[in-house]
Amino acid sequence: MPEAMAPALATGRYRAPWWLPGGHAQTIWPALASQRPPAVTLRRERWRTPDGDFVDVDFLDAGATAEAPMLVLFHGLEGSSQSHYARSFAHAAREAGWRFAVPHFRGCSGELNLAPRAYHSGDFEEIGWILQRLRERAGAAVRAVGVSLGGNALLRWVQEAGDSAAATARAVAAVCSPVDLAAGGHAIGRGFNRLVYTRMFLRTMVPKALAKLAQHPGLFDRERLLAARDLYTFDDVFTAPLHGFAGTEDYWSRASAKPHLASIRIPALVLNARNDPFVPAASLPGVHEVGRCVTLWQPDHGGHVGFPGGSFPGHLMTLPHGVLAWMRTATG
């Protein structure tokens, strides 16, 4: 079954179940109501960062040998190892006999981090540091998947690393990533997206930012943050200045992976559904914008990190099985 699911994700061939039409339904239903694999038992390690902070990394140890490939998953905005897609990838990795790890971006593991910073879509230095440690643990180059924000950051690391990336990662995949951050940021700030998804993200992001301000008084303008009603304003007040950007426009421009896709030197899959509410189809890269190492899958259906399969109420395994099958092909 897993191998058969891979071609279904390739461009133009994935079709969502008939009972789940449209990008919003294919985004919301898989996250809230689809049949998902049960929670797996993960072992957590806390790593001290070079700047005196910490990140938490969750490992799935059962069912894999010490020589098995390691799959690393970087979660999306406000995600964690318990996100629906992380649990699905954990089960797919276990079925494949692979080791599995989910590093948490700072502040996403259930405990506020210590430094006067959080995480962002272009956090390639953090990605590189984490992957290097995991590569040393694995004893060989790893495979890495990034979902949404995590995928854009992963691609930025591959781009910055150039030829040296191959020593750390054999292949990478970016799933439903807004590689044009300006296009995605503006899209999520309009209409239904603003009413539903923006509110959902700000519901957790604003309290975290206020807790960060309590840790580090004067870090940003509290009243401006409380007035934020979209991610553009939140990023302008919090994300951009805390991570060395002049503002939202500078952040979105410098952190976007799309302009640098031709520089990637290891096998990379960039998978986006064309009906993703967060990522406008017009902003997706074309074959003329990527290098020979990049594979584009852009099916018409799937939503944002959805790609449900099967009869009602659907399951979530189409996506991870398809990505793992591509990785097997890409790495031999």
Side-chain angles (χ1 to χ4, degrees):
M1 181 176 70
E3 294 293 341
M5 291 180 176
L9 267 180
T11 303
R13 284 183 276 182
Y14 170 79
R15 289 292 182 270
W18 65 267
W19 49 267
L20 199 59
H24 291 298
Q26 291 159 24
T27 298
I28 296 171
W29 183 264
L32 298 181
S34 288
Q35 287 182 335
R36 64 188 63 192
V40 295
T41 300
L42 301 172
R43 175 180 55 82
R44 175 161 294 184
E45 292 184 7
R46 176 157 293 184
W47 293 357
R48 294 296 168 182
T49 62
D51 62 350
D53 204 348
F54 69 88
V55 295
D56 289 327
V57 185
D58 287 354
F59 291 89
L60 176 65
D61 294 323
T65 67
E67 295 76 31
M70 176 175 284
L71 179 67
V72 182
L73 184 135
F74 291 98
H75 61 77
L77 184 64
E78 294 299 274
S80 74
S81 62
Q82 294 306 310
S83 296
H84 66 286
Y85 53 81
R87 288 167 58 173
S88 297
F89 270 99
H91 278 267
R94 184 163 64 182
E95 288 178 9
W98 290 12
R99 291 173 286 175
F100 183 67
V102 183
H104 290 87
F105 290 115
R106 301 197 199 193
C108 291
S109 63
E111 184 175 338
L112 190 67
N113 66 302
L114 305 175
R117 59 155 293 173
Y119 65 103
H120 63 90
S121 295
D123 214 351
F124 63 84
E125 292 181 345
E126 188 95 300
I127 294 272
W129 177 75
I130 290 170
L131 283 178
Q132 181 57 38
R133 288 199 58 167
L134 289 169
R135 187 253 179 270
E136 293 169 359
R137 172 77 60 86
V142 303
R143 284 85 166 163
V145 177
V147 175
S148 197
L149 175 150
N152 185 84
L154 177 61
L155 291 175
R156 289 293 293 117
W157 168 75
V158 177
Q159 293 160 356
E160 293 289 329
D163 291 334
S164 68
T168 303
R170 294 196 64 188
V172 299
V175 176
C176 299
S177 298
V179 294
D180 181 337
L181 290 171
H186 290 305
I188 203 170
R190 294 192 293 262
F192 181 86
N193 288 351
R194 182 187 180 102
L195 290 173
V196 177
Y197 307 119
T198 296
R199 286 183 177 181
M200 175 190 70
F201 287 129
L202 291 180
R203 192 176 299 128
T204 58
M205 292 165 66
V206 169
K208 283 184 182 179
L210 293 175
K212 185 60 61 180
L213 184 62
Q215 272 185 334
H216 301 278
L219 193 59
F220 58 85
D221 187 326
R222 183 177 186 273
E223 296 309 314
R224 280 192 67 205
L225 182 93
L226 290 174
R229 296 294 180 268
D230 54 34
L231 297 187
Y232 184 100
T233 306
F234 181 91
D235 284 346
D236 208 47
V237 176
F238 182 81
T239 312
L242 263 64
H243 301 102
F245 300 99
T248 298
E249 299 289 346
D250 182 47
Y251 164 42
W252 287 356
S253 174
R254 289 168 54 195
S256 291
K258 183 179 178 180
H260 313 287
L261 290 173
S263 68
I264 291 176
R265 296 291 178 264
I266 63 173
L269 173 66
V270 181
L271 167 61
N272 296 91
R274 299 187 67 83
N275 68 349
D276 186 332
F278 297 5
V279 184
S283 73
L284 297 179
V287 293
H288 62 287
E289 297 174 284
V290 306
R292 59 181 178 81
C293 292
V294 176
T295 299
L296 299 177
W297 284 358
Q298 296 174 359
D300 292 332
H301 303 263
H304 188 75
V305 201
F307 302 99
S311 58
F312 183 87
H315 61 76
L316 303 180
M317 297 307 291
T318 303
L319 172 61
H321 281 320
V323 172
L324 263 63
W326 174 84
M327 285 188 163
R328 292 189 195 95
T329 301
T331 58

Coordinates of all heavy atoms in Angstrom, one line a residue, residues 77 119-124 147-156 159 176-190 231-232 235 239-240 245 247-260 272 278-280 283-285 304:
L77 N 4.1 26.2 11.7 CA 3.8 27.3 12.6 C 3.0 26.8 13.8 O 1.9 26.3 13.5 CB 3.1 28.4 11.8 CG 2.8 29.7 12.6 CD1 4.0 30.4 13.1 CD2 1.9 30.6 11.8
Y119 N 11.2 31.8 16.8 CA 11.5 31.0 15.6 C 10.9 31.7 14.4 O 10.0 32.6 14.6 CB 11.1 29.6 15.7 CG 9.6 29.4 15.7 CD1 8.9 29.0 14.6 CD2 8.8 29.6 16.9 CE1 7.5 28.8 14.6 CE2 7.5 29.4 16.9 CZ 6.8 29.0 15.8 OH 5.4 28.8 15.8
H120 N 11.4 31.4 13.2 CA 10.8 32.1 12.1 C 11.0 31.3 10.8 O 11.7 30.2 10.8 CB 11.4 33.5 11.9 CG 12.9 33.5 11.6 ND1 13.4 33.5 10.4 CD2 13.9 33.6 12.5 CE1 14.8 33.5 10.5 NE2 15.1 33.5 11.8
S121 N 10.4 31.7 9.7 CA 10.4 30.9 8.5 C 11.7 30.8 7.8 O 11.8 29.9 6.9 CB 9.4 31.5 7.5 OG 8.0 31.5 8.0
G122 N 12.7 31.6 8.1 CA 14.0 31.5 7.5 C 15.1 31.1 8.5 O 16.2 31.4 8.3
D123 N 14.7 30.3 9.5 CA 15.6 30.0 10.6 C 16.7 28.9 10.2 O 16.8 27.9 10.8 CB 14.8 29.5 11.8 CG 15.4 30.0 13.1 OD1 16.5 30.5 13.1 OD2 14.7 29.8 14.1
F124 N 17.4 29.2 9.1 CA 18.3 28.2 8.6 C 19.5 27.9 9.4 O 20.0 26.7 9.4 CB 18.7 28.5 7.1 CG 19.6 29.8 7.0 CD1 20.9 29.7 7.3 CD2 19.0 31.0 6.7 CE1 21.7 30.9 7.2 CE2 19.8 32.1 6.6 CZ 21.1 32.1 6.8
V147 N 7.4 20.8 7.2 CA 6.0 21.1 6.9 C 5.7 22.5 7.1 O 6.0 23.2 8.1 CB 5.1 20.2 7.9 CG1 3.6 20.6 7.6 CG2 5.3 18.8 7.6
S148 N 5.1 23.1 6.0 CA 4.7 24.5 6.0 C 5.9 25.4 6.4 O 6.9 25.4 5.7 CB 3.5 24.7 7.0 OG 2.9 26.0 6.7
L149 N 5.9 26.2 7.5 CA 7.0 27.0 7.9 C 8.3 26.2 8.0 O 9.3 26.7 7.5 CB 6.7 27.7 9.2 CG 7.7 28.5 9.9 CD1 7.1 29.7 10.7 CD2 8.6 27.7 10.8
G150 N 8.2 25.0 8.5 CA 9.4 24.2 8.7 C 10.0 23.8 7.3 O 11.2 23.7 7.2
G151 N 9.2 23.7 6.3 CA 9.7 23.3 5.0 C 10.4 24.5 4.4 O 11.5 24.3 3.7
N152 N 9.9 25.7 4.5 CA 10.6 26.8 3.9 C 11.9 27.0 4.6 O 13.0 27.3 4.0 CB 9.7 28.1 4.1 CG 10.4 29.3 3.4 OD1 10.2 29.5 2.2 ND2 11.1 30.1 4.2
A153 N 12.0 26.9 6.0 CA 13.2 27.1 6.7 C 14.2 26.0 6.3 O 15.4 26.2 6.2 CB 13.0 27.0 8.2
L154 N 13.7 24.7 6.1 CA 14.6 23.6 5.7 C 15.2 23.9 4.3 O 16.4 23.7 4.1 CB 13.8 22.3 5.6 CG 14.5 21.1 5.2 CD1 15.7 20.8 6.0 CD2 13.6 19.9 5.1
L155 N 14.4 24.4 3.3 CA 14.9 24.7 2.0 C 15.9 25.9 2.1 O 16.9 25.9 1.4 CB 13.8 25.1 1.1 CG 12.8 24.0 0.7 CD1 11.7 24.6 -0.2 CD2 13.5 22.9 -0.1
R156 N 15.7 26.8 3.0 CA 16.7 27.9 3.1 C 18.0 27.4 3.6 O 19.1 27.8 3.2 CB 16.1 29.0 4.1 CG 15.0 29.8 3.5 CD 15.5 30.7 2.4 NE 16.4 31.7 2.8 CZ 17.7 31.8 2.4 NH1 18.2 31.0 1.6 NH2 18.5 32.8 2.9
Q159 N 19.8 25.7 0.7 CA 20.3 26.8 -0.2 C 21.5 27.4 0.3 O 22.5 27.6 -0.4 CB 19.2 27.8 -0.4 CG 18.0 27.2 -1.2 CD 16.7 28.1 -1.0 OE1 16.7 29.0 -0.2 NE2 15.6 27.7 -1.7
C176 N 3.8 21.7 1.6 CA 2.8 22.8 1.7 C 3.5 24.0 2.3 O 2.9 24.7 3.1 CB 1.7 22.3 2.6 SG 0.7 21.0 1.9
S177 N 4.7 24.3 1.8 CA 5.5 25.4 2.4 C 5.2 26.7 1.6 O 5.2 26.6 0.3 CB 7.0 25.1 2.4 OG 7.2 24.0 3.2
P178 N 5.1 27.8 2.3 CA 4.9 29.1 1.6 C 6.3 29.6 1.2 O 6.8 30.5 1.8 CB 4.2 29.9 2.7 CG 4.8 29.4 4.0 CD 5.0 27.9 3.7
V179 N 6.8 29.1 0.1 CA 8.1 29.5 -0.4 C 8.2 30.9 -0.8 O 9.3 31.5 -0.9 CB 8.7 28.5 -1.4 CG1 8.9 27.1 -0.8 CG2 7.8 28.5 -2.6
D180 N 7.1 31.5 -1.1 CA 6.9 33.0 -1.3 C 6.2 33.5 -0.1 O 4.9 33.5 -0.1 CB 6.2 33.2 -2.6 CG 6.0 34.7 -3.0 OD1 6.1 35.5 -2.0 OD2 5.8 35.1 -4.1
L181 N 6.9 34.0 0.9 CA 6.3 34.3 2.1 C 5.3 35.5 2.0 O 4.3 35.6 2.7 CB 7.3 34.6 3.2 CG 8.1 33.4 3.7 CD1 9.3 33.8 4.5 CD2 7.2 32.4 4.4
A182 N 5.6 36.4 1.2 CA 4.7 37.6 1.0 C 3.4 37.1 0.4 O 2.3 37.6 0.9 CB 5.4 38.6 0.1
A183 N 3.4 36.3 -0.6 CA 2.2 35.8 -1.2 C 1.3 35.0 -0.1 O 0.1 35.2 0.0 CB 2.4 34.9 -2.4
G184 N 2.0 34.2 0.6 CA 1.3 33.4 1.6 C 0.8 34.3 2.8 O -0.3 34.1 3.3
G185 N 1.6 35.2 3.2 CA 1.3 36.1 4.3 C 0.1 37.0 4.0 O -0.8 37.2 4.8
H186 N 0.0 37.5 2.8 CA -1.1 38.3 2.4 C -2.4 37.4 2.2 O -3.5 37.9 2.5 CB -0.8 39.1 1.1 CG 0.2 40.2 1.3 ND1 0.1 41.2 2.2 CD2 1.4 40.4 0.6 CE1 1.1 42.0 2.2 NE2 1.9 41.6 1.2
A187 N -2.2 36.2 1.7 CA -3.4 35.3 1.5 C -4.0 35.0 2.8 O -5.3 35.0 2.9 CB -2.9 34.1 0.7
I188 N -3.2 34.7 3.8 CA -3.8 34.2 5.1 C -4.4 35.4 5.8 O -5.2 35.2 6.8 CB -2.8 33.5 5.9 CG1 -3.4 32.6 7.0 CG2 -1.8 34.5 6.6 CD1 -2.5 31.7 7.7
G189 N -4.2 36.6 5.4 CA -4.7 37.8 6.0 C -6.0 38.3 5.4 O -6.5 39.4 5.8
R190 N -6.6 37.6 4.5 CA -7.8 38.0 3.8 C -9.0 37.1 4.0 O -8.8 35.9 4.1 CB -7.5 38.2 2.3 CG -6.5 39.2 1.9 CD -6.6 39.5 0.4 NE -6.1 38.3 -0.3 CZ -4.8 38.2 -0.8 NH1 -4.0 39.2 -0.6 NH2 -4.5 37.1 -1.5
L231 N -1.1 38.4 10.6 CA 0.3 37.9 10.8 C 1.3 39.0 10.3 O 2.4 39.1 10.8 CB 0.5 36.6 10.0 CG -0.3 35.4 10.5 CD1 0.2 34.1 9.8 CD2 -0.1 35.3 12.0
Y232 N 0.9 39.8 9.3 CA 1.7 40.9 8.9 C 2.1 41.8 10.0 O 3.3 42.1 10.3 CB 1.1 41.7 7.8 CG 1.9 42.8 7.2 CD1 2.6 42.6 6.0 CD2 2.1 44.0 7.8 CE1 3.4 43.6 5.4 CE2 2.9 45.0 7.3 CZ 3.6 44.8 6.1 OH 4.4 45.8 5.6
D235 N 4.2 39.9 12.7 CA 5.6 39.8 12.3 C 6.4 41.1 12.4 O 7.6 41.2 12.7 CB 5.7 39.2 10.9 CG 5.4 37.7 10.8 OD1 5.4 37.1 11.9 OD2 5.1 37.2 9.7
T239 N 8.1 39.1 15.2 CA 9.0 38.1 14.6 C 10.2 38.8 13.9 O 11.4 38.4 14.1 CB 8.2 37.3 13.5 OG1 7.0 36.8 14.1 CG2 9.1 36.2 13.0
A240 N 9.9 39.8 13.1 CA 11.0 40.5 12.3 C 12.1 41.1 13.2 O 13.3 40.8 13.1 CB 10.4 41.5 11.4
F245 N 15.6 41.3 11.4 CA 15.0 41.9 10.1 C 14.5 43.3 10.4 O 14.1 43.6 11.5 CB 13.8 41.0 9.6 CG 14.3 39.6 9.3 CD1 14.0 38.5 10.2 CD2 14.9 39.3 8.1 CE1 14.4 37.2 9.9 CE2 15.3 38.0 7.8 CZ 15.0 37.0 8.7
G247 N 11.8 44.7 9.3 CA 10.3 44.7 9.4 C 9.8 43.5 8.6 O 10.5 42.7 8.1
T248 N 8.4 43.5 8.5 CA 7.8 42.3 7.8 C 8.2 42.2 6.4 O 8.5 41.1 5.9 CB 6.3 42.5 7.9 OG1 5.9 42.4 9.2 CG2 5.6 41.3 7.1
E249 N 8.3 43.3 5.6 CA 8.7 43.2 4.2 C 10.1 42.6 4.1 O 10.3 41.8 3.2 CB 8.6 44.6 3.5 CG 7.2 45.2 3.6 CD 6.2 44.5 2.7 OE1 6.6 43.7 1.8 OE2 5.0 44.7 2.8
D250 N 11.0 43.1 4.9 CA 12.4 42.6 4.8 C 12.4 41.1 5.2 O 13.1 40.3 4.6 CB 13.2 43.4 5.8 CG 14.7 43.0 5.8 OD1 15.2 42.9 4.7 OD2 15.3 42.9 6.8
Y251 N 11.7 40.8 6.3 CA 11.6 39.4 6.7 C 11.1 38.5 5.6 O 11.7 37.4 5.2 CB 10.8 39.3 8.0 CG 10.3 37.9 8.4 CD1 11.1 36.8 8.3 CD2 9.0 37.8 8.9 CE1 10.7 35.5 8.7 CE2 8.5 36.5 9.3 CZ 9.4 35.4 9.2 OH 8.9 34.2 9.5
W252 N 9.9 38.8 5.1 CA 9.3 37.9 4.1 C 10.2 37.8 2.9 O 10.3 36.8 2.2 CB 7.9 38.4 3.7 CG 6.9 38.2 4.8 CD1 7.1 37.5 6.0 CD2 5.5 38.6 4.8 NE1 5.9 37.5 6.7 CE2 5.0 38.2 6.0 CE3 4.8 39.4 3.9 CZ2 3.6 38.4 6.3 CZ3 3.4 39.6 4.2 CH2 2.9 39.1 5.4
S253 N 10.9 38.9 2.5 CA 11.7 38.9 1.3 C 13.0 38.0 1.5 O 13.3 37.1 0.7 CB 12.1 40.3 0.9 OG 13.0 40.3 -0.2
R254 N 13.7 38.3 2.6 CA 15.0 37.6 2.8 C 14.8 36.1 3.2 O 15.7 35.3 3.0 CB 15.8 38.3 3.9 CG 16.3 39.7 3.4 CD 16.8 40.5 4.5 NE 17.8 39.8 5.3 CZ 18.2 40.2 6.5 NH1 17.7 41.3 7.0 NH2 19.1 39.5 7.2
A255 N 13.7 35.8 3.9 CA 13.5 34.4 4.4 C 12.8 33.5 3.3 O 12.8 32.3 3.5 CB 12.6 34.5 5.6
S256 N 12.3 34.0 2.3 CA 11.6 33.2 1.3 C 12.5 32.3 0.5 O 13.6 32.7 0.1 CB 10.8 34.0 0.3 OG 9.7 34.7 0.9
A257 N 12.2 31.0 0.4 CA 13.0 30.0 -0.3 C 12.9 30.1 -1.8 O 13.8 29.7 -2.6 CB 12.7 28.6 0.2
K258 N 11.8 30.6 -2.3 CA 11.5 30.5 -3.8 C 12.6 31.1 -4.6 O 13.0 30.5 -5.7 CB 10.2 31.2 -4.1 CG 9.8 31.1 -5.6 CD 8.4 31.8 -5.8 CE 8.0 31.7 -7.3 NZ 6.7 32.4 -7.6
P259 N 13.2 32.3 -4.3 CA 14.2 32.9 -5.2 C 15.5 32.1 -5.3 O 16.3 32.4 -6.2 CB 14.4 34.3 -4.6 CG 13.2 34.5 -3.7 CD 12.8 33.2 -3.2
H260 N 15.7 31.1 -4.5 CA 17.0 30.4 -4.4 C 16.8 28.9 -4.7 O 17.8 28.1 -4.5 CB 17.6 30.6 -3.0 CG 17.6 32.0 -2.5 ND1 18.4 33.0 -3.0 CD2 16.8 32.6 -1.6 CE1 18.1 34.1 -2.4 NE2 17.2 33.9 -1.5
N272 N 3.2 21.1 -3.1 CA 2.2 22.0 -2.8 C 0.9 21.7 -3.5 O 0.9 21.5 -4.7 CB 2.6 23.4 -3.2 CG 3.8 24.0 -2.4 OD1 4.9 23.8 -2.9 ND2 3.5 24.6 -1.3
F278 N -3.6 28.6 2.1 CA -2.5 29.5 2.7 C -1.5 29.9 1.6 O -0.8 30.9 1.7 CB -1.7 28.7 3.7 CG -2.4 28.3 5.0 CD1 -3.8 28.5 5.1 CD2 -1.7 27.7 6.0 CE1 -4.5 28.1 6.2 CE2 -2.4 27.4 7.2 CZ -3.8 27.5 7.3
V279 N -1.4 29.1 0.5 CA -0.4 29.3 -0.5 C -1.0 29.5 -1.9 O -1.4 28.4 -2.5 CB 0.6 28.1 -0.5 CG1 1.8 28.4 -1.5 CG2 1.2 27.9 0.9
P280 N -1.1 30.7 -2.4 CA -1.8 30.8 -3.7 C -1.1 30.1 -4.8 O 0.1 30.1 -4.9 CB -1.7 32.4 -3.9 CG -1.5 33.0 -2.6 CD -0.7 31.9 -1.8
S283 N 1.6 31.7 -6.9 CA 2.9 32.0 -6.3 C 3.8 30.8 -6.3 O 5.0 30.9 -5.9 CB 2.7 32.4 -4.8 OG 2.3 31.3 -4.0
L284 N 3.3 29.6 -6.7 CA 4.2 28.4 -6.7 C 5.3 28.5 -7.7 O 5.1 29.0 -8.8 CB 3.3 27.2 -6.9 CG 2.2 26.9 -5.9 CD1 1.4 25.7 -6.2 CD2 2.8 26.8 -4.5
P285 N 6.4 27.8 -7.5 CA 7.5 27.9 -8.4 C 7.2 27.0 -9.7 O 6.5 26.0 -9.6 CB 8.7 27.3 -7.7 CG 8.0 26.4 -6.6 CD 6.8 27.1 -6.2
H304 N -4.1 22.4 2.7 CA -2.9 22.7 3.4 C -2.6 21.5 4.4 O -3.2 21.4 5.4 CB -3.0 24.0 4.2 CG -1.7 24.5 4.8 ND1 -0.6 25.0 4.0 CD2 -1.2 24.4 6.1 CE1 0.4 25.3 4.8 NE2 0.1 24.9 6.0

